[in-house]
Amino acid sequence: MPALGAVVLGIGAYPPSAAGEGIPALQFPAKDAEAFAAYLRACWPEPDMVLRLLPEAGGTGLALRRAFDEIAARGRFDLFVVYLSGHGVASPETTGFLAQPEPGAGAPQVVAAAELDRLLRAVDARRTIFILDCCFAEAVVRGMPFFTELDDSEARLFIASSRANQFTWEDERAGHGVFTAHMLDLLNTGSAARLGGVRDQVLVDAELFPFLCEQVPLYVLEHKGARQEPVKGGVSTGEVTLPVARAARRLQDRSTLGTALRRVRQILVGIGGASVVGIALVYTLLWYPQLDRNGEIVLLHGAAWLEPILRYAPSGRVHTGLRLEDLSPDPAMRQAIQSGSLTGVWTHVSRDGHRSWYDRLRPGLDPAAAQRADALAGLSPAGRPRGNPDSPSEVARAAWSRLSEPDAATLAWVLQAIPGADRRSPLVTRFDPNLVDFTIDDRTARQMQDYAAALRAAAMVDPDRTLPVYLGFLKATQEWLGQNTDAQRGGGSHEAVAEATASVLPVIASARRDRGLAPVDPATATALTALAANGYFETAGRALAQVNGAAPPAGDVARIALARFQGDPFDEGQLQALRVLTGTLDGSADGKALTTGVLASFDRAGRSEDSFRTKFLIDAADRRALPPAVISELLAGARAALRRPDPDFMDQERARILAHGMRDIPAPDRPTVYALIARVAAGITPRSGTLAEIYGALGAQGLAPPGMLEKVAAQAAALPQRPRYQSPGEENPGMTIVVGGPIWAVALAQFAKTRSLDVKSLEVLQRFADDPDVAPLVQAALAGRGGTAGLQCDRTRCSGLPARAPQDTRARQLDADLAAINLAQQPAGAFRQALSTLRKLRAAEIEPEYRMALGRLIVGAQVQRSAPRAVGQEEF
Amino acid sequence: MVLEGALAVAGGGCAGGAVAELLHWWNLRQSTQIPDYAKSLFYWSLTVLMVLAGGVVTWLYFGEHAEALVALHVGISTPLILQKLVTSVPEKPGAKNVITKPAPTVRRFFTW
């Protein structure tokens, strides 16, 4: 009898017309069948074997039956092997192997278990092995009673590729179905780790099947993440073996531990990938606050607990412009910000249309800082509480906030809170030094200054409503000055309060001038003059003296001041008079006459070389109030100094005065002054503040000799910012010694008044742009000489807006300050239009830090416009 | 109409998610697995999760203030996007099976 009969069929592809849903094509069944047939051919020579390898395309049910019939017709076989590879079908309706459709038929044919059972019975063989490689293979074979009885055979065995409810898989790496690949690997090589060597024969039950049970599930779990467990069954009276074809191994042996470790690695990679996605989402969506090394509150990407990971990524979102000192004094309130535990979602927007991080930070801020920030950001509408009217600081803040958002009700509230209302009528009264009013006299200097600040802010918004309130407050301040001394209130408090009160009138005057009105109406000027003559000199007189363009009344005040000044500036009253006199100086004949009068007073008092005299002459020179006689005297002194072999301290003073008055020195005499300056420069350190002052004064007038600007720029660039050193007591302004960068930055800024500076010089100025001592001058220089483009606004938009610079608060705020300076210089109509447009743009802005920058611009522009610096007050 | 408050905003998103899931279940009515889905607590839990996801994503976007219609739209889109993400994960090839009545799976549940 022939040794082997075999029917081999592998179907992976179905004709297109028959293809339908749920029947995907398979890659390897045909190849599986070819490989199995090759194994059979290798192990059984041709005459001993009857093999029917059905073609894939012709693998119909009819063809299968014919193949079985042909085998059966050849008589009894020693071994009959059936190998089927392809799709399996398992459903309540039918279970079987999916064959090709018959010609002319549409759908593929299911060769059911019963049909297979009948076909197997038709072939007479001593031993039968049925190998089924398809999904749900166990479901197919369990419906075949062929394997439950031997009849006259010795063995009837089946090996199914998977359980009844499991898929059977093929894999590109194996190049076959996984089950067939492993089976062929063992049958072709005879080698496996569990066999402990190479065999010539493999026991189907004891060796082949355990090998498949071990390796197939591991392979499928590792590569498909699924379960596939081969199933065997049948009956036999003895062992059944299959020969080994002795070919090279193709598959690697797997161990359970190795597969488990690989699976764990796959899971960990999946978790890692999900974690990366999660971290990316947190990084993108969330923010948390932190204090940077400069003490500013910055917002970072992500959350504080992810900081150890996110520190390696760009983490800065925005520099808020809020600082450590803005935090609430209550540790419980500030803790969330300081610790970074506060977290929010970046995309959240508040009702007002700005990002909600501001609302989240706000509770942790000091109330005053929060009010200020609200005002800048345009978030304090009329309805919000204004504060305590009995607190001058809150009144001042409320007044200041109205610059950002005009509100008539708040203005009225502010003006009502200012003391002195009962002193307005009658207005002109004689000052009574014995009058005691504790509601005024017990105020601190800071409180009085706060009231003055409130009046300045109110004046910018509505000067005419502010003026009467101011007049009452002015009288109250004089009373306060009369009842309080520096010993009681602190050094310099007297002067600070007097100056603060006096400085309100120039703001009123500027605001009125901006509205096309006279700076001070005649009635008010007359009243102030009368008050100055009746004991209110320190306040009314000083205020009137600071108003440019109030000529006749200012002249009257000057005469009163000249009468008071007897040449002794160390007397408080005379010092006040000297300050008033300085404020009234101008280039008119009266102004020059005043200068002569003051110098005569100094001379009568024997103070011809007094530092206050020098300072007065410098101020007079700045105001072009030096009489020709004084200039001649100074020039004579310069010539004498140049003839002397040794320098004299007064040479420096003379050089300073002449430098400031260079415009008024006849051109032929200017070389003498330059020579004196050069002599002075040779005798002192090149870093001296005196030289900075002299060079700066010349630069401001456009009369600096060649090379001077370069010296100034070099000095300004060379030194870092240092703290200012003051001599004991500021009563001797001439003795102030200033070294370091800022004073030279001021000198450089002076040059910017008359010429354009190069890029390097502008960069130097930018370094000092936020130094509080010199910021106004430096920023004016930057704004006027290429520091920033002009701001232009129409009804709906503006060009030349400050840079957004979300991560550079300094740049953002400096840009806003420079834009404010530019805006303040525009004509009145354009200015008011720009303010209105800027407020609209701010209301539509989503970024809170930029809202605050726009608010800074809005407020700053009004401050710049309404409070111009008096000539000569600024520099030295 | 503006929704105020985190709960209201999330609720608007959940409403959108519910609309999407209603449409989802309506489209599944002819699916052969519908009896299995309808009787399974697991698939109903997935449905609830999709609705809640709509609410969460809407809150993430808008916080405490949102236009109701926009919140609804975001809530509708969230389950659609999530389900599309799930069904776009490639299936493992090489299963040798023909399923006349495929078993209910999450992937099939989200394919509609």
Side-chain angles (χ1 to χ4, degrees):
Chain A
M1 60 181 164
L4 175 73
V7 175
V8 177
L9 171 61
I11 304 176
Y14 294 84
S17 59
E21 278 191 31
I23 314 178
L26 297 170
Q27 279 187 280
F28 301 114
K31 190 178 167 196
D32 290 348
E34 293 276 356
F36 190 74
Y39 157 74
L40 293 176
R41 288 194 192 99
C43 292
W44 281 272
E46 191 66 32
D48 274 351
M49 175 179 65
V50 180
L51 169 64
R52 291 292 176 266
L53 171 61
L54 297 176
E56 180 182 26
T60 63
L62 186 61
L64 199 59
R65 282 190 283 277
R66 251 191 231 127
F68 271 87
D69 289 344
E70 285 173 17
I71 298 287
R74 297 293 289 268
R76 188 174 171 86
F77 289 88
D78 183 51
L79 174 64
F80 177 46
V81 177
V82 178
Y83 174 86
L84 299 177
S85 175
H87 276 305
V89 178
S91 70
E93 294 81 26
T94 185
T95 303
F97 178 76
L98 198 66
Q100 295 284 18
E102 299 296 340
Q109 208 177 7
V110 177
V111 182
E115 174 72 6
L116 286 170
D117 190 86
R118 187 189 68 76
L119 290 171
L120 284 169
R121 284 180 193 281
V123 176
D124 186 12
R126 198 162 62 87
R127 294 169 298 164
T128 302
I129 299 176
F130 178 45
I131 302 171
L132 183 60
D133 186 356
C134 70
C135 288
F136 324 118
E138 186 207 353
V140 177
V141 293
R142 71 182 173 198
M144 297 169 66
F146 176 80
F147 297 101
T148 63
E149 54 198 2
L150 282 174
D151 290 337
D152 61 351
S153 62
E154 292 175 15
R156 289 178 178 177
L157 302 177
F158 71 82
I159 305 178
S161 58
S162 62
R163 285 181 181 246
N165 61 347
Q166 291 176 344
F167 291 169
T168 289
W169 297 85
E170 61 179 13
D171 187 60
E172 280 184 359
R173 280 161 286 216
H176 288 282
V178 175
F179 168 82
T180 297
H182 283 83
M183 180 181 68
L184 286 175
D185 210 50
L186 186 60
L187 291 177
N188 282 330
T189 64
S191 167
R194 68 180 295 116
L195 297 183
V198 179
R199 303 295 182 79
D200 291 329
Q201 301 272 337
V202 174
L203 293 168
V204 171
D205 207 32
E207 291 174 335
L208 175 61
F209 183 72
F211 170 78
L212 293 173
C213 280
E214 181 190 75
Q215 294 295 309
V216 170
L218 292 177
Y219 190 101
V220 170
L221 179 64
E222 181 174 329
H223 293 293
K224 301 295 182 185
R227 295 181 67 176
Q228 180 183 340
E229 298 164 278
V231 175
K232 75 166 173 70
V235 290
S236 71
T237 60
E239 287 176 348
V240 178
T241 61
L242 285 172
V244 172
R246 286 300 189 117
R249 287 216 67 181
R250 292 185 64 239
L251 294 175
Q252 181 191 5
D253 258 349
R254 277 169 168 72
S255 67
T256 306
L257 177 64
T259 301
L261 286 174
R262 280 188 288 273
R263 192 75 186 131
V264 166
R265 188 183 65 199
Q266 289 170 353
I267 292 168
L268 288 176
V269 167
I271 291 173
S275 300
V276 168
V277 170
I279 289 173
L281 278 174
V282 169
Y283 176 87
T284 308
L285 286 176
L286 300 188
W287 60 265
Y288 70 101
Q290 204 176 67
L291 286 166
D292 71 0
R293 58 174 178 231
N294 298 320
E296 184 180 359
I297 300 173
V298 299
L299 303 185
L300 305 178
H301 281 275
W305 49 273
L306 279 178
E307 192 271 340
I309 300 172
L310 293 177
R311 68 170 66 173
Y312 301 107
S315 59
R317 275 198 192 270
V318 70
H319 287 224
T320 62
L322 301 169
R323 301 189 55 80
L324 172 63
E325 46 269 30
D326 295 327
L327 291 178
S328 170
D330 183 351
M333 300 297 289
R334 65 196 281 167
Q335 191 269 343
I337 297 175
Q338 281 189 298
S339 65
S341 60
L342 186 68
T343 301
V345 182
W346 186 250
T347 51
H348 286 181
V349 173
S350 74
R351 189 183 298 113
D352 293 312
H354 60 270
R355 288 202 196 273
S356 63
W357 63 255
Y358 176 74
D359 297 333
R360 297 296 306 280
L361 289 184
R362 197 181 179 285
L365 299 180
D366 176 77
Q371 189 179 5
R372 183 174 187 276
D374 282 349
L376 286 176
L379 297 173
S380 37
R384 286 210 188 168
R386 300 177 186 107
N388 179 4
D390 295 325
S391 167
S393 59
E394 292 189 29
V395 172
R397 269 199 298 278
W400 177 87
S401 72
R402 287 312 102 204
L403 294 176
S404 183
E405 295 168 294
D407 167 24
T410 300
L411 183 64
W413 180 88
V414 165
L415 293 176
Q416 261 188 325
I418 304 293
D422 53 348
R423 288 151 173 87
R424 293 185 220 162
S425 181
L427 180 59
V428 180
T429 56
R430 182 146 201 88
F431 176 66
D432 180 1
N434 298 317
L435 179 65
V436 173
D437 181 353
F438 292 111
T439 62
I440 299 295
D441 300 338
D442 283 350
R443 297 283 182 186
T444 65
R446 181 74 257 162
Q447 288 174 335
M448 296 300 286
Q449 288 175 275
D450 283 341
Y451 282 131
L455 283 166
R456 277 197 298 277
M460 292 177 208
V461 176
D462 192 336
D464 291 331
R465 280 180 73 183
T466 306
L467 179 60
V469 177
Y470 168 64
L471 293 175
F473 177 73
L474 181 147
K475 291 176 71 177
T477 302
Q478 186 67 61
E479 293 165 31
W480 186 92
L481 292 171
Q483 296 294 330
N484 289 276
T485 63
D486 282 359
Q488 291 169 297
R489 297 296 181 183
S493 58
H494 213 260
E495 168 61 19
V497 170
E499 176 56 29
T501 303
S503 67
V504 175
L505 190 61
V507 176
I508 294 174
S510 290
R512 281 176 56 90
R513 195 182 290 123
D514 207 31
R515 286 156 175 80
L517 302 169
V520 178
D521 67 275
T524 303
T526 303
L528 285 169
T529 306
L531 283 170
N534 281 282
Y536 293 90
F537 181 78
E538 272 189 281
T539 51
R542 191 163 175 168
L544 202 52
Q546 293 192 16
V547 177
N548 297 325
D556 292 338
V557 167
R559 274 189 287 282
I560 298 169
L562 189 59
R564 285 182 167 221
F565 183 65
Q566 300 298 318
D568 181 9
F570 291 96
D571 175 81
E572 186 62 35
Q574 292 188 51
L575 180 60
Q576 295 294 334
L578 181 61
R579 289 195 176 115
V580 169
L581 282 164
T582 304
T584 60
L585 290 177
D586 58 21
S588 67
D590 285 340
K592 292 179 182 175
L594 268 177
T595 303
T596 305
V598 170
L599 291 176
S601 297
F602 272 114
D603 291 338
R604 279 195 296 275
R607 294 181 181 277
S608 54
E609 294 189 352
D610 190 90
S611 60
F612 281 96
R613 184 178 187 275
T614 302
K615 181 69 170 71
F616 174 76
L617 281 169
I618 289 172
D619 289 336
D622 286 333
R623 287 166 166 76
R624 310 196 74 170
L626 287 179
V630 172
I631 293 175
S632 298
E633 185 188 334
L634 289 167
L635 285 171
R639 291 188 200 97
L642 288 170
R643 285 193 293 271
R644 271 199 311 274
D646 299 319
D648 184 289
F649 174 71
M650 287 309 296
D651 294 343
Q652 283 188 37
E653 303 297 84
R654 204 169 285 120
R656 289 171 67 198
I657 300 165
L658 286 168
H660 281 270
M662 202 62 150
R663 284 169 294 187
D664 294 325
I665 293 172
D669 294 318
R670 286 178 185 167
T672 303
V673 178
Y674 289 130
L676 178 64
I677 290 171
R679 183 185 168 107
V680 166
I684 57 177
T685 170
R687 292 160 47 183
S688 161
T690 300
L691 276 185
E693 178 195 350
I694 292 172
Y695 292 170
L698 291 175
Q701 298 166 78
L703 295 172
M708 189 167 280
L709 172 58
E710 287 72 19
K711 286 183 196 169
V712 171
Q715 290 294 342
L719 296 173
Q721 280 183 289
R722 290 184 193 177
R724 183 173 158 216
Y725 170 76
Q726 290 180 329
S727 62
E730 288 210 73
E731 304 85 65
N732 289 322
M735 288 299 293
T736 300
I737 301 170
V738 182
V739 296
I743 195 71
W744 285 99
V746 171
L748 188 57
Q750 297 287 70
F751 275 81
K753 288 181 180 177
T754 53
R755 67 174 80 184
S756 296
L757 300 180
D758 61 18
V759 171
K760 271 192 165 180
S761 298
L762 290 173
E763 285 173 5
V764 170
L765 285 179
Q766 285 200 334
R767 278 171 42 204
F768 298 97
D770 48 12
D771 184 319
D773 286 337
V774 301
L777 293 162
V778 170
Q779 288 181 8
L782 287 170
R785 295 293 175 184
T788 183
L791 181 67
Q792 301 291 334
C793 295
D794 58 25
R795 278 209 188 131
T796 54
R797 46 192 184 151
C798 293
S799 61
L801 285 171
R804 287 185 171 268
Q807 297 200 35
D808 189 343
T809 297
R810 184 176 183 271
R812 186 169 69 239
Q813 291 181 345
L814 177 60
D815 244 24
D817 293 341
L818 297 181
I821 293 171
N822 274 316
L823 178 58
Q825 291 164 7
Q826 293 188 15
F831 177 74
R832 278 189 279 277
Q833 175 68 66
L835 286 185
S836 171
T837 306
L838 285 169
R839 289 189 176 108
K840 284 183 205 162
L841 291 177
R842 181 180 59 181
E845 175 60 43
I846 190 175
E847 308 295 348
E849 77 280 0
Y850 197 62
R851 278 196 175 212
M852 288 190 264
L854 290 177
R856 188 179 174 110
L857 162 56
I858 291 167
V859 172
Q862 293 175 81
V863 171
Q864 289 285 335
R865 191 176 183 85
S866 299
R869 241 167 241 291
V871 175
Q873 270 188 346
E874 58 276 70
E875 295 90 10
F876 304 101
Chain B
M1 173 184 162
V2 175
L3 299 174
E4 297 280 354
L7 278 178
V9 170
C14 286
V19 167
E21 286 303 296
L22 269 173
L23 196 62
H24 175 199
W25 279 89
W26 174 251
N27 273 272
L28 284 176
R29 69 191 183 283
Q30 292 180 337
S31 160
T32 52
Q33 294 89 12
I34 188 64
D36 300 307
Y37 295 149
K39 286 183 282 190
S40 167
L41 182 63
F42 173 70
Y43 290 104
W44 281 110
S45 302
L46 278 181
T47 300
V48 171
L49 274 175
M50 287 294 113
V51 171
L52 292 176
V56 167
V57 170
T58 305
W59 173 79
L60 270 177
Y61 267 47
F62 300 113
E64 302 203 350
H65 312 276
E67 285 285 340
L69 197 56
V70 178
L72 191 75
H73 277 191
V74 171
I76 291 174
S77 68
T78 300
L80 297 181
I81 292 171
L82 288 175
Q83 290 166 16
K84 193 65 182 171
L85 279 174
V86 169
T87 59
S88 67
V89 173
E91 285 184 294
K92 287 194 171 59
K96 299 165 80 168
N97 69 294
V98 171
I99 302 173
T100 55
K101 185 179 181 250
T105 62
V106 173
R107 189 191 184 87
R108 286 200 187 92
F109 181 63
F110 284 158
T111 305
W112 55 282

